[in-house]
Amino acid sequence: MNKIKILDESISNIIAAGEVVENPASMIKELIENSLDANASLIKINVTNRGQNVKIIDNGDGMSKIDLFLSIERHATSKIITKEDIYNLRSYGFRGEALASIASVSKMSIASKDKESETGHQIYVNAGKIVKDKEIVKNQGTEIEIKNLFFNTPARLKFLRTKNTEYSKIKHVVLTQALANYNVSFQLSLDNKIVLKTSGKGFENCITELFSFNILKNLKKFKYGYYGTMDILRSTKDYIFTYINKRYVKSKIIETAIIDAYYTKLMKGKYPFAIIYFDIDPKEIDVNVHPSKKIIKFSNDNTIYNDIKSELEKTLWENESDSMPSLNIQEENTDSSFKDIAPTKYFSDEKISTTPTQMFDNFELNKKNYQKNKKNETFYEIKEENNNFVENNNIIDTPKNFNDFSQKKVVNENIMEYKIDRVKNIKILGQLNNMYILVERNDTLEIYDQHIVHERILYEELKNEYYNKKISKQNLLTPINIEVSEIEKEKVMQNLDIFNDFGFEIEDFGENEIIIRTVPTFNFRESVKETFFNIIKEMMSKKETDIRENIIISMSCKNAIKAGEKLEIEEISILLNKLYIYGKFTCPHGRPIILKIPFLELDKKFGRK
Ligand code: ADP
Ligand code: MG
């Protein structure tokens, strides 16, 4: 007996609905996209009943009576006509499935009027069947009302989550759409309360309306969108908004490129705020891989990763002061979720802080000088005799413990000038608890973490030496044996060349062992073994990052001055000078180096002001 039957259309629509209309949020996404495709400049959405009831009104092109009837048919679309259109897609929709799918699992009415028609028209649809239609009086645009979503698919209804969960997904959908379409005014109400509203008056207003003025203030432009300064780091990746041709997507490639560009600036568990608008020839991507078009496949992942990462790195480096958090870092708190999007919540910038830009006014100029000189001079060191530029008159002979600093004494005059300039108005007050360096500068008390300062310097020096091929090696009298696991060994053996460039000559030494024959000429404060273990650890835990980065980070972290070490004033001055030459103010893991307390703040605390 024959068993195969062609499915009844109402059944196949319900099956398709499972893909397109996963939940109220994905339904709303489809509806918004339709309004945007119809060139609406105003979109209002009201959601009640846990998302089962939704009303969406737009002022777009609208539909004629015939189109209105066709709109709920499966594969009915006004957006593609030929096969080529699929690969040249500039509209959000094209499958002609959304309305048919939604209609099949709800009770729906659509009212619409286009420019050419005298009157509007309205249809009532029950589980995909038109049950009534009538002529109506209406402005141009479309109004769709969905009631009782999933009323005829109890299994699906069971998958609806709590009201809060469904509502927050809906908010996320509307927010991401509003962010990409900042010239369109959006309004979202949940249970008749407005929770999100944008004016449609451009990017800056949109950011302030969706997040806060503080976020806007801390966003900087770069080639592919906007990136946040260190003052608005988040603790999830959710604030990296990625749009490809205005379509919100979760793109692992782009996300990783952004995070990697910030790499050494980010503290563990912290992520940047970023909005990426990446435009690409539609032929280069396949949005068709996912029915709700959430996932996008690029034809060339690597180029996109490299392009975005290097563009962002370039800009971050040019605006180095952005990457220095100001004293009053406001820990992300209120705006850490989409739960409450009232802009006023974030206006808490009243606290006084010396902004990074204030502090680095002169620095930018000097940095240019420095970079110019960088080309001719691969390395600079401070001669001890130059320590007298510090306003403190304690001149001590040769700094102890600082053989790594005093080994090289290439001094470029311009650089010296620059250094003197940098430090002339600072006064080193001393060391606190053998951990922190206290400095007075203008009207501010600055507190530096000595370990991080040195770590950052070593990091920059090593990087510099490595990329300029300046690392020399020294033979070990007794080679060092290191026990490793099988995978660790494999990883090390795969990267022998890189280790060699860093001065580590390594050989296989039987089953679970390797042997180190040479090490770089480097002031190891920690044993070579300890340092190497750390390199392996870093290498194994951060699979995605460059192994060279792992080596540099481990070497600088392990071998930097530790908290608890006593420092002489001269040592401090050398440290600070170097730090200012490099001009990077976070540790390679992103912890801040400096805290600044304006005297004004102290005056206030003591009730003087
Ligand atoms: P698609 O968007 O893939 O074309 P849909 O099922 O979402 O498929 O919509 C079917 C058609 O209905 C669209 O191609 C469009 O012509 C029309 N349509 C849907 N929503 C609107 C709207 N808000 N305003 C104007 N036309 C609309
Ligand atoms: Mg559509």
Side-chain angles (χ1 to χ4, degrees):
M1 202 181 84
N2 299 338
K3 288 181 189 154
I4 299 178
K5 289 190 199 85
I6 303 285
L7 285 180
D8 179 291
E9 190 168 300
S10 62
I11 299 176
S12 62
N13 275 342
I14 290 181
I15 295 170
E19 291 175 0
V20 186
V21 195
E22 217 179 298
N23 52 34
S26 59
M27 170 179 83
I28 288 169
K29 175 175 167 284
E30 294 289 337
L31 294 170
I32 292 175
E33 289 184 348
N34 280 345
S35 297
L36 291 168
D37 280 344
N39 305 306
S41 63
L42 177 74
I43 302 173
K44 275 188 179 178
I45 307 147
N46 190 21
V47 179
T48 50
N49 194 21
R50 212 177 22 150
Q52 283 190 273
N53 294 0
V54 173
K55 189 170 178 175
I56 173 166
I57 302 172
D58 72 47
N59 66 349
D61 298 336
M63 286 176 269
S64 67
K65 181 176 171 185
I66 294 176
D67 280 352
L68 185 59
F69 277 88
L70 280 175
S71 67
I72 58 154
E73 294 296 323
R74 185 109 180 272
H75 305 307
T77 177
S78 53
K79 296 162 198 172
I80 49 176
I81 297 167
T82 68
K83 201 169 65 189
E84 282 67 44
D85 292 345
I86 302 177
Y87 302 103
N88 257 320
L89 209 65
R90 291 274 175 198
S91 62
Y92 284 113
F94 62 94
R95 290 169 160 259
E97 278 182 334
L99 285 189
S101 301
I102 299 166
S104 72
V105 291
S106 70
K107 296 173 183 173
M108 172 160 105
S109 79
I110 312 179
S112 197
K113 178 184 143 359
D114 69 354
K115 205 169 169 195
E116 289 76 30
S117 310
E118 293 274 300
T119 59
H121 210 85
Q122 184 166 26
I123 55 173
Y124 293 85
V125 195
N126 194 337
K129 297 267 180 294
I130 297 181
V131 290
K132 188 173 130 189
D133 75 283
K134 64 176 187 200
E135 201 167 87
I136 52 161
V137 180
K138 193 188 171 320
N139 292 337
Q140 186 185 323
T142 304
E143 181 173 333
I144 300 181
E145 187 161 9
I146 288 112
K147 281 190 177 150
N148 253 318
L149 180 68
F150 301 141
F151 79 101
N152 55 344
T153 52
R156 210 131 258 288
L157 191 57
K158 249 195 265 164
F159 277 102
L160 275 197
R161 315 291 294 276
T162 62
K163 186 167 101 174
N164 278 349
T165 312
E166 294 299 337
Y167 280 7
S168 89
K169 283 189 218 161
I170 292 171
K171 263 189 271 183
H172 184 256
V173 160
V174 181
L175 181 133
T176 52
Q177 295 277 18
L179 198 49
N181 299 281
Y182 40 78
N183 290 322
V184 176
S185 166
F186 283 82
Q187 182 179 314
L188 169 68
S189 306
L190 297 171
D191 292 336
N192 303 311
K193 263 206 345 247
I194 298 179
V195 296
L196 179 155
K197 195 172 175 175
T198 63
S199 56
K201 295 204 170 102
F203 178 78
E204 298 196 348
N205 284 317
C206 183
I207 295 293
T208 314
E209 288 151 358
L210 292 177
F211 304 103
S212 68
F213 182 65
N214 186 41
I215 297 284
L216 176 66
K217 216 175 61 186
N218 284 294
L219 281 183
K220 309 271 157 151
K221 207 169 166 29
F222 84 114
K223 188 172 173 195
Y224 297 119
Y226 298 82
Y227 66 93
T229 65
M230 307 309 277
D231 280 354
I232 53 169
L233 291 182
R234 314 279 98 179
S235 40
T236 72
K237 293 183 195 164
D238 294 344
Y239 290 81
I240 302 175
F241 298 94
T242 309
Y243 296 92
I244 294 168
N245 297 350
K246 284 211 157 182
R247 199 183 281 282
Y248 176 73
V249 291
K250 278 270 160 214
S251 162
K252 185 101 180 64
I253 282 292
I254 296 184
E255 219 170 75
T256 317
I258 302 294
I259 293 173
D260 288 356
Y262 274 81
Y263 181 49
T264 66
K265 300 176 198 301
L266 292 174
M267 264 180 262
K268 278 210 171 72
K270 288 284 175 191
Y271 301 93
F273 192 112
I275 306 168
I276 308 303
Y277 298 118
F278 193 76
D279 287 320
I280 186 169
D281 184 338
K283 288 191 191 69
E284 298 285 313
I285 46 172
D286 187 359
V287 286
N288 216 356
V289 288
H290 193 272
S292 60
K293 310 166 214 109
K294 264 187 295 207
I295 302 166
I296 281 198
K297 244 173 56 190
F298 295 111
S299 56
N300 197 345
D301 274 2
N302 266 347
T303 340
I304 288 172
Y305 171 87
N306 289 330
D307 201 15
I308 293 186
K309 179 169 169 246
S310 64
E311 277 300 329
L312 182 55
E313 269 173 349
K314 205 172 75 192
T315 320
L316 279 169
W317 164 249
E318 279 165 9
N319 301 300
E320 188 58 42
S321 57
D322 295 347
S323 63
M324 200 185 90
S326 45
L327 169 63
N328 298 316
I329 311 168
Q330 282 165 35
E331 269 303 311
E332 143 207 11
N333 40 33
T334 39
D335 43 354
S336 67
S337 75
F338 299 114
K339 277 190 202 105
D340 206 328
I341 306 171
T344 39
K345 268 201 107 158
Y346 312 108
F347 277 92
S348 48
D349 303 318
E350 262 69 81
K351 292 182 204 162
I352 299 159
S353 72
T354 317
T355 64
T357 32
Q358 269 171 325
M359 181 166 174
F360 289 97
D361 273 352
N362 304 320
F363 183 62
E364 285 308 308
L365 271 177
N366 289 316
K367 195 163 78 181
K368 282 202 192 94
N369 244 345
Y370 158 58
Q371 273 165 347
K372 240 194 286 160
N373 287 306
K374 204 167 153 187
K375 289 194 191 89
N376 323 331
E377 205 59 62
T378 42
F379 235 73
Y380 351 78
E381 287 300 325
I382 297 164
K383 273 191 183 164
E384 294 87 317
E385 41 294 18
N386 283 310
N387 283 334
N388 57 1
F389 54 66
V390 178
E391 259 189 8
N392 192 312
N393 288 326
N394 270 327
I395 304 169
I396 300 183
D397 296 345
T398 321
K400 301 151 206 113
N401 303 328
F402 270 72
N403 14 5
D404 59 332
F405 281 2
S406 44
Q407 272 159 12
K408 310 178 199 96
K409 286 185 187 137
V410 195
V411 176
N412 173 299
E413 267 177 23
N414 280 332
I415 295 287
M416 277 325 296
E417 226 173 75
Y418 151 73
K419 282 177 206 150
I420 293 166
D421 201 20
R422 276 318 303 158
V423 292
K424 77 173 170 227
N425 49 7
I426 79 166
K427 188 162 155 197
I428 298 171
L429 302 174
Q431 207 185 6
L432 181 68
N433 201 20
N434 289 345
M435 258 166 115
Y436 299 111
I437 296 166
L438 299 185
V439 165
E440 178 183 339
R441 178 202 302 275
N442 299 332
D443 297 326
T444 306
L445 170 68
E446 296 179 352
I447 308 172
Y448 295 72
D449 182 312
Q450 65 189 44
H451 169 72
I452 308 180
V453 169
H454 195 207
E455 186 182 3
R456 175 48 99 174
I457 294 169
L458 290 180
Y459 174 87
E460 295 300 329
E461 287 181 344
L462 267 168
K463 206 167 177 167
N464 206 333
E465 289 191 356
Y466 175 78
Y467 287 105
N468 288 309
K469 302 220 174 332
K470 282 267 151 56
I471 295 184
S472 57
K473 39 180 142 173
Q474 44 188 353
N475 284 317
L476 289 171
L477 281 178
T478 11
I480 299 170
N481 288 41
I482 298 210
E483 256 182 61
V484 283
S485 72
E486 209 171 305
I487 11 168
E488 287 167 349
K489 184 164 159 185
E490 204 182 298
K491 187 109 192 213
V492 173
M493 297 315 282
Q494 279 166 358
N495 291 292
L496 282 186
D497 285 350
I498 293 183
F499 277 110
N500 199 30
D501 288 345
F502 272 100
F504 291 105
E505 246 171 57
I506 298 168
E507 280 167 31
D508 192 340
F509 200 71
E511 223 175 310
N512 281 328
E513 251 177 298
I514 52 170
I515 188 162
I516 303 179
R517 296 205 176 276
T518 68
V519 294
T521 318
F522 176 79
N523 184 25
F524 285 95
R525 294 169 158 259
E526 190 59 79
S527 70
V528 172
K529 214 167 183 159
E530 229 7 82
T531 304
F532 207 83
F533 275 137
N534 198 269
I535 294 177
I536 293 181
K537 201 171 118 206
E538 183 88 13
M539 214 164 73
M540 300 312 289
S541 68
K542 304 221 178 66
K543 291 190 186 67
E544 284 158 40
T545 52
D546 197 324
I547 158 162
R548 288 170 293 199
E549 191 76 19
N550 299 151
I551 297 176
I552 297 176
I553 285 189
S554 303
M555 283 179 68
S556 32
C557 178
K558 276 281 147 194
N559 296 289
I561 296 167
K562 304 221 165 8
E565 284 184 44
K566 186 165 168 33
L567 300 179
E568 301 299 335
I569 295 287
E570 283 56 46
E571 295 171 326
I572 295 177
S573 102
I574 293 178
L575 278 176
L576 294 187
N577 272 286
K578 286 190 163 226
L579 178 69
Y580 279 92
I581 289 177
Y582 290 116
K584 310 233 167 161
F585 302 96
T586 58
C587 88
H589 293 107
R591 278 148 68 195
I593 291 182
I594 317 176
L595 276 189
K596 289 176 288 165
I597 305 175
F599 293 168
L600 205 62
E601 197 97 304
L602 293 176
D603 291 347
K604 273 190 176 170
K605 291 252 184 307
F606 286 109
R608 289 179 185 277
K609 289 248 160 94

